[in-house]
Amino acid sequence: MKQTYHQLSSTKTLEQLQTAKTGLTPGAVDERLQKYGQNVLREQKGTTLLQKFLSQFKDLMIIILMVAAVIAFFAGDASDAVIIFLVVILNAVFGVFQEAKAENAINALKEMTTPSSRVRRDGQVQTVKSSELVPGDIVLLEAGDIVPADLRLLKTASLQIEEAALTGESVPVDKSEAPLAQSKLPLGDRKNLGYMNTNVTYGTGEGVVIATGMETEVGHIATMLNSVDKSITPLQKNIIHLSKILSILVLLIAVLVFAIGILVGRSSVLEMLLTSISLAVAAIPEGLPAIVTITLALGTQTMAKRNALIRKLPAVETLGTTEIIASDKTGTLTQNKMTVEKIYLPDALQDAAQASLTLQDRLTQIMILANDSQKTPTGLVGDPTETALIQYYLNKKLELVSLEKDYPRIASIPFDSKRKLMSTLVKNNQQNYVMTKGAIDELLKRTNRIEDHGRIRKITSQDRARIMEVNHQLALQALRVLGFAYSPVEAMPASLNSENLEKDLIFVGMVGMIDPERPEAKNAVTEARAAGIRPLMITGDHKDTATAIAKRLGILKSTDEDAVITGSELDQLSTQDLNQKIAQYSVFARVAPEHKVRIVKAWQNRGKIVAMTGDGVNDAPALKTADIGVGMGITGTEVSKNASDIVLADDNFATIIVAVKEGRKVFANIQKAIQYLLSANLGEVLTLFFMTMLAWDIFAPAQILWINLVTDTFPAIALGIERAEATIMQRRPRGKQSNFFSDGVMSSILYQGILEGALTLGVYWFALQFPFHHSYALIHADALTMAFATLGLIQLFHAFNSKSLHGSIFRKDLFNNKMFNWSILISGILLFATILVPAFNATFKVTPLAPQQWLLVFIGGTLMLVIVEVVKLVQRKLLYKK
């Protein structure tokens, strides 16, 4: 029935809803609240803590570790089993903690506002929570209110509602209470309905609630969102790919070593099983899930400080791959507040900032007095153009109250779309004046005189031509132009209407207004271009306005007229044509929100990673379709925020660029950590493999896990918060084809892993050839202990190598990462404590070492640092030219 409410009269509507103009009784409210539920949008059912915890164990690498722990336990090696289980559980707990933290952050953002509504119930006006509204409630509206539910308007007085969040129409809609004849009308044409989450910009009104919660138009779109598939992020693809490769390699190596050991009679089946477990433990980077999560979480904290709230952790890194940023204009690229930019007084056009107007100037008086803006404790409320006129003089610190007292208002004639004028009748010292503002062409029709430098004379055709020419010039700059005129009223007419008052006017001047670009947005666009990112503007505004702002921001060049396309022109293009031509356009003007999905998909079909901004309900499908959905924290609806990966607390385009930089840094740091971890694990695997083949003693699972946890994980986590390199925003975006092994990472992992293994085996061999003790058991125990210490120390030194993939570490900022410095120190203490503290010797199967044995260990560790830096120097000179 709701679809026909716009056809019903006010009386029929009230009858249909079984209510009255006096409102519902308390009993009826309670009854309907039980029937219809609260007036809130339902969210998708979240996962429980248990579900989050269990999901952490889906990774194949984790499953392999769990199997290894079980085998170790039943093989009698309980300490190894306990350590492996402990590592896995800690990783799972940390993963759950980070997911919950991200959800809590967005919930906190939602709770920043507690909307309420003024309603009439049982004949009394009262304020209630918007969530407690029910069908049949009578809601009172005024400028500044957010419409709390879908309403059939019963009474309007110059009521205008901005419905951009729902329809994409940026201009406020004039509302009326009259029934409409047509049954099937677009939402934007149902002038007697108000929709949930839209904004009252002007006038007052009264309406009856016809739908609440998920039954509203906003609720229907929220329901549709569940059908939009969210694509997997590049980071998730990389992690899945890496996990598969490592898992397959781990199984192959473990089976191979087990088979070879059995065939050559190396050990018993049980001992070879434990050897294979050690290899599996050595090959799996246990700390990788935690490191990725911690690095992403630290990135979210950094972004939060810069007004970018991350809702989904992988989105941090995906930002670093962004190639296209499609941004809304109003409020993101611009300030979302109309501003007086130009002022014209007869024969003089000047910048508003340079104009020296006072309260004695007639233009000032008309701008202030022909104005319905209202001052509130939180600022000005009203039509954006009218508040701009007041704000201009507030910025000049003029006492407007005194002017309003000297010219009290007698009556007003509201603006309407036909005559395009608004007037007030004021009185000063027994003299009445009509003060009028409006569209230049309509104003000049009612003007016969002009005020020229304080002198009133008859307006000439040359005056009119000059005024229209300036109006045209300002319009070409996408400025909204208002003209101002007045006239003394000698005898009060019987009827105070437009015909009697808006005539024989004296033209005073005009102003040009625009929603100006944000000061920081132009630099952000420049930085985006330097980073190889293409910025696009998508707006519901007119083509001329969008073009002018885009040129001012640098999104368009002065000659790029063909790079602008409108929504109606988009409708003429097939999907195939749009895919082919999409790269031609940088500005999409006068588009409806549904066009945004087409634009995003067209770029994605060209293999690009797209970030998309939006604040409206109808933007939500496009936000979910994009690789990165960016919602607006100030102007955005709850539906658009929930569909986004990132919410901007300041609605600022520059914040997106800051977030992109952080995303690139996050990927670079994860890449450093992976290179460090995998080269270390490769070194461990090669060491264990050749120890097995040479019939040497091998590391116990506890030793390998200790090295992986202590000397691997702590420095790798610290690598995750390395500062961004100076040139990070001068590089091209990585794109969809890149992965963690790009840019020479794979070759570095291979040669560095082989080097680690060779140095560790070299120290083991040297210890056997030049023993400190004489008994066979002690010689081999010392050799294994020295190899254990060498492997751990190599990895601590190698952590310094990993601070830069190809750059030298010998620079002044080597120790600028305090967390890294502490991680190396703590890891070193924990590593050496297993050998130096007798109580730990038995647990980790090590023996105390003599000074000369320690010297050999340190030589092995130092060689790793020196050799890798020499290789990087050769790479810079011959390959990378850096």
Side-chain angles (χ1 to χ4, degrees), residues 7-118:
Q7 293 182 281
L8 300 180
S9 66
S10 299
T11 304
K12 288 285 186 184
T13 300
L14 293 172
E15 288 177 5
Q16 187 89 32
L17 292 164
Q18 297 179 356
T19 187
K21 289 185 177 181
T22 55
L24 298 170
T25 63
V29 171
D30 292 339
E31 182 182 320
R32 296 187 186 199
L33 201 54
Q34 289 292 323
K35 180 178 179 181
Y36 297 106
Q38 287 208 316
N39 179 34
V40 294
L41 299 178
R42 286 195 304 273
E43 298 178 17
Q44 294 183 33
K45 189 177 180 181
T47 54
T48 65
L49 277 177
L50 179 60
Q51 289 172 321
K52 287 187 177 75
F53 183 75
L54 293 176
S55 70
Q56 308 297 317
F57 297 92
K58 293 178 181 177
D59 190 275
L60 187 55
M61 290 193 297
I62 299 297
I63 294 171
I64 292 172
L65 274 179
M66 297 287 285
V67 172
V70 171
I71 293 173
F73 180 80
F74 285 108
D77 205 338
S79 61
D80 286 345
V82 169
I83 291 174
I84 294 172
F85 269 122
L86 185 62
V87 171
V88 172
I89 297 298
L90 283 174
N91 274 338
V93 169
F94 190 82
V96 171
F97 171 75
Q98 284 302 331
E99 280 191 40
K101 188 175 179 182
E103 288 182 6
N104 291 339
I106 196 65
N107 288 335
L109 182 70
K110 288 173 63 178
E111 290 169 6
M112 286 171 61
T113 57
T114 53
S116 58
S117 304
R118 285 194 312 130

Side-chain angles (χ1 to χ4, degrees), residues 466-487:
R466 172 63 177 158
I467 292 167
M468 293 305 295
E469 172 60 25
V470 173
N471 179 40
H472 178 66
Q473 290 175 13
L474 296 178
L476 289 177
Q477 299 173 47
L479 271 65
R480 183 172 183 178
V481 182
L482 281 180
F484 297 85
Y486 77 104
S487 178

Side-chain angles (χ1 to χ4, degrees), residues 124-171:
Q124 301 295 316
V125 175
Q126 51 189 281
T127 300
V128 301
K129 290 181 180 179
S130 296
S131 60
E132 296 175 358
L133 290 179
V134 294
D137 261 327
I138 305 298
V139 177
L140 310 181
L141 300 173
E142 61 183 22
D145 285 348
I146 295 174
V147 180
D150 282 5
L151 310 175
R152 167 63 167 91
L153 298 171
L154 306 174
K155 187 187 299 183
T156 61
S158 304
L159 181 65
Q160 292 183 344
I161 300 180
E162 187 262 307
E163 298 177 341
L166 191 64
T167 65
E169 177 62 46
S170 60
V171 178

Side-chain angles (χ1 to χ4, degrees), residues 361-382:
D361 290 301
R362 191 63 77 180
L363 179 60
T364 299
Q365 294 172 358
I366 305 171
M367 288 169 70
I368 301 303
L369 300 173
N371 198 310
D372 285 330
S373 296
Q374 297 177 6
K375 301 180 187 67
T376 69
T378 57
L380 294 171
V381 174

Side-chain angles (χ1 to χ4, degrees), residues 806 808 868-878 882:
H806 302 298
S808 172
V868 171
E869 285 305 307
V870 170
V871 173
K872 285 161 67 175
L873 176 63
V874 173
Q875 288 176 331
R876 290 196 300 275
K877 296 293 184 182
L878 300 181
K882 291 183 180 178

Side-chain angles (χ1 to χ4, degrees), residues 61 91 239 242-243 246 285-293 670 673-674 677-678 713:
M61 290 193 297
N91 274 338
I239 293 293
L242 180 60
S243 295
L246 290 177
E286 295 85 2
L288 181 58
I291 289 161
V292 171
T293 305
I670 292 176
I674 285 175
L677 284 174
L678 295 190
T713 305

